[in-house]
Amino acid sequence: MNASQSAIAALTQRLKSQFPEGAVITDPARLDAYDCDGLLVHRVRPAVVVLAQDAEQVQQTVAACADMRVPFVARGSGTGLSGGALPHADGVLVVMSGFREIREVSAPDQRAVVDPGVINLSVTQASSPQGYYFAPDPSSQQICSIGGNVAENSGGAHCLKYGFTSNHVLAAEVVLPDGSAVTLGQRAPDAPGYDLLGAFVGSEGTLGVATEVTVRLLRTPETVQTFLAGFESTDAAGAATSAIIAAGIVPAAIEMMDALAIEAAEAAVACNYPRGAGAVLVVELDGPTAEVETESAQAQRLCREAGAFEIRLAADAEERAAIWRGRKSAFAAVGRISPDYIVQDGVIPRTKLSQVLHQMGELAETKGVRVANVFHAGDGNLHPLVLFDGAVPGQEARAEEVSGAILDLCLEHGGSITGEHGVGFDKAKHMPKMFTEIDLDTMQRVRCAFDPAGISNPGKIYPTPRLCGEVPRKHTADEPDRFAGRAEVF
């Protein structure tokens, strides 16, 4: 038994003595159920799974890991698409999905206090009777959890107008990697001092584990208008998007789907989008009735001027849901037209949409794969779906090559390697393309302030783990971890 196995064995014995029966899982067959998150191409069986039910159990687990220098990874609903919750083979997976009480909804304060395992959509459902809702709405909002949203700084269709999760979190109770519990942020806005909450949101589980989150609620808008516009091409749809924004209109959402994404949605949910469309836009405006009616009419006019051959304005909530059904189902729907696919996530300046979409098409044709596009056009947040058949030799490798090359395109045009899915395990290798060595070192120093032992979700965000506490210097061969490939000095 090596040192890691000895530590895991001792840790397991300690946790089983502290937790109710069944809460600590070591059976290999049951561990396999947790070997990946929503990104299925990377799988690692964790050494131990702990089903946490409250903050005290999270703290007990993390404290035990800290004492024995065992890595841990927190996981909510497991819907992440960048491998952010990929387990560690010699570590503990802390599952938070059973930890889902909505502790408070306060209309006067426009606040809600929730457990990290609470489902995103549940916050809106709990607050809507009082006339409020929670704005960040990932496409997976029916199943993704608030803790995961905080870890990945998740977005969604309506983040064009309302911002990402970081704009809607006021405070978080956090278990730090040494097992201590702290409060970051506060119920009131603008706390003095360093913005540690800002550092925590989007840190992908590398700075600790949230055990309670205070979120901001927004007043339910007086009116919502949604319309669907059909275009012959993505160029025309992109031109309409730019025209709407340039006119000073900020819709709650502008979503685009290309012909292949439409084909998939039709096959899955028969959404009845405009026949023959090369692209569709779903445009939604919300706010005071008079303002929405004026801006909606203006946006529809701009779509027609850009080439829209059909526009459908939803007359009621049922028609609005019908318009959204195709868009919301698009990711899963792609499974109807391809046995396998990779969901990519990158950002470009909105003005580069047409150029980048053309380049992606050329790239896909060259490599012999197909790419379907469904994305947040308003803020340039792309979600290309690279289709392939894993049963065809070499096709998966070509799809992965195209997927990575799409991120290179995003960077080439001044964008980012991720918009809302996080870096996780999957994109860590791309970080040096976007940041300098000094940038990465600076980020690592922040991480080391929270987690000097490097046990909180190691192997994510950064290309390789690095050693904390080091100062820049000339390195020698006397660094066994570095030269064994276990860590990198910075």
Side-chain angles (χ1 to χ4, degrees):
M1 182 179 290
N2 60 35
S4 295
Q5 291 170 330
S6 297
I8 286 293
L11 176 73
T12 302
Q13 186 175 15
R14 173 171 164 177
L15 293 177
K16 284 189 171 180
S17 71
Q18 295 175 321
F19 282 68
E21 186 174 354
V24 180
I25 299 172
T26 55
D27 175 56
R30 295 187 64 196
L31 292 175
D32 282 343
Y34 299 96
D35 68 357
C36 67
D37 55 13
L39 187 65
L40 306 181
V41 295
H42 302 299
R43 294 179 181 273
V44 176
R45 177 197 288 169
V48 181
V49 166
V50 173
L51 306 179
Q53 299 297 315
D54 56 35
E56 183 180 355
Q57 292 185 351
V58 174
Q59 194 167 5
Q60 287 176 326
T61 304
V62 174
C65 290
D67 288 346
M68 300 178 187
R69 292 294 184 103
V70 170
F72 63 89
V73 178
R75 168 192 165 119
S77 297
T79 57
L81 292 169
S82 63
L86 186 71
H88 193 290
D90 296 319
V92 176
L93 186 70
V94 188
V95 177
M96 315 283 283
S97 56
F99 188 3
R100 55 173 63 177
E101 181 182 346
I102 296 178
R103 300 181 178 276
E104 178 188 355
V105 174
S106 174
D109 285 340
Q110 297 184 227
R111 309 279 187 265
V113 181
V114 305
D115 285 348
V118 167
I119 300 301
N120 175 293
L121 185 60
S122 298
V123 182
T124 289
Q125 291 172 333
S127 52
S128 60
Q130 299 184 50
Y132 289 86
Y133 76 109
F134 181 57
D137 59 342
S139 295
S140 58
Q141 71 173 148
Q142 294 185 355
I143 49 174
C144 66
S145 61
I146 293 296
N149 294 170
V150 170
E152 304 299 330
N153 190 22
S154 301
H158 294 91
C159 291
L160 169 62
K161 183 174 182 178
Y162 296 107
F164 285 63
T165 299
S166 59
N167 301 112
H168 300 270
V169 174
L170 291 165
E173 302 290 331
V174 175
V175 173
L176 296 176
D178 66 356
S180 59
V182 299
T183 300
L184 304 180
Q186 60 181 18
R187 194 178 178 90
D190 300 327
Y194 294 122
D195 183 10
L196 298 180
L197 178 65
F200 182 79
V201 177
S203 61
E204 304 192 25
T206 60
L207 304 186
V209 183
T211 54
E212 182 181 283
V213 184
T214 300
V215 300
R216 186 195 313 273
L217 300 176
L218 299 184
R219 187 74 177 168
T220 303
E222 181 181 0
T223 301
V224 177
Q225 278 202 9
T226 305
F227 69 84
L228 179 73
F231 297 85
E232 292 184 353
S233 67
T234 54
D235 285 352
T241 300
S242 294
I244 291 170
I245 300 295
I249 302 170
V250 183
I254 306 181
E255 301 287 294
M256 189 190 298
M257 296 170 65
D258 70 5
L260 195 52
I262 296 169
E263 177 188 336
E266 293 288 0
V269 298
C271 50
N272 193 32
Y273 282 176
R275 187 178 298 275
V280 296
L281 287 183
V282 176
V283 182
E284 187 159 281
L285 299 106
D286 64 8
T289 301
E291 177 182 305
V292 167
E293 289 180 347
T294 300
E295 292 191 339
S296 178
Q298 188 178 0
Q300 291 173 55
R301 176 179 57 78
L302 291 169
C303 285
R304 290 191 188 91
E305 290 175 357
F309 63 83
E310 182 174 341
I311 290 180
R312 300 176 189 169
L313 176 64
D316 51 34
E318 186 176 349
E319 290 189 7
R320 180 184 169 213
I323 287 177
W324 275 108
R325 187 163 55 243
R327 167 61 184 90
K328 291 281 187 179
S329 68
F331 281 16
V334 168
R336 296 294 188 104
I337 62 170
S338 177
D340 303 289
Y341 63 93
I342 298 171
V343 180
Q344 192 49 280
D345 166 45
V347 178
I348 57 171
R350 187 175 48 247
T351 54
K352 302 289 187 180
L353 273 175
S354 178
Q355 186 176 356
V356 171
L357 289 175
H358 277 290
Q359 287 181 289
M360 281 200 299
E362 293 166 0
L363 182 64
E365 186 175 353
T366 301
K367 297 297 180 181
V369 298
R370 295 182 297 168
V371 176
N373 286 289
V374 48
F375 57 96
H376 311 307
D379 45 16
N381 188 351
L382 304 177
H383 292 310
L385 305 165
V386 185
L387 316 186
F388 67 96
D389 184 348
V392 178
Q395 202 168 97
E396 180 175 355
R398 292 201 301 275
E400 289 181 355
E401 188 178 349
V402 168
S403 181
I406 288 173
L407 295 183
D408 293 339
L409 272 180
C410 291
L411 293 174
E412 179 185 325
H413 289 279
S416 165
I417 63 171
T418 181
E420 55 181 329
H421 294 178
V423 176
F425 177 80
D426 191 53
K427 297 183 184 178
K429 60 182 177 294
H430 297 287
M431 286 287 276
K433 300 177 183 175
M434 185 167 178
F435 296 104
T436 68
E437 192 71 12
I438 293 174
D439 293 334
L440 294 172
D441 284 355
T442 302
M443 294 181 201
Q444 290 276 23
R445 289 177 188 278
V446 174
R447 179 188 180 173
C448 290
F450 283 78
D451 182 22
I455 60 172
S456 187
N457 207 11
K460 313 297 166 56
I461 302 179
Y462 305 104
T464 56
R466 298 180 176 202
L467 299 175
C468 296
E470 299 283 349
V471 295
R473 59 183 169 79
K474 181 178 180 180
H475 300 302
T476 70
D478 188 22
E479 294 165 349
D481 281 343
R482 179 188 182 201
F483 289 96
R486 292 191 294 269
E488 183 175 323
V489 176
F490 72 94

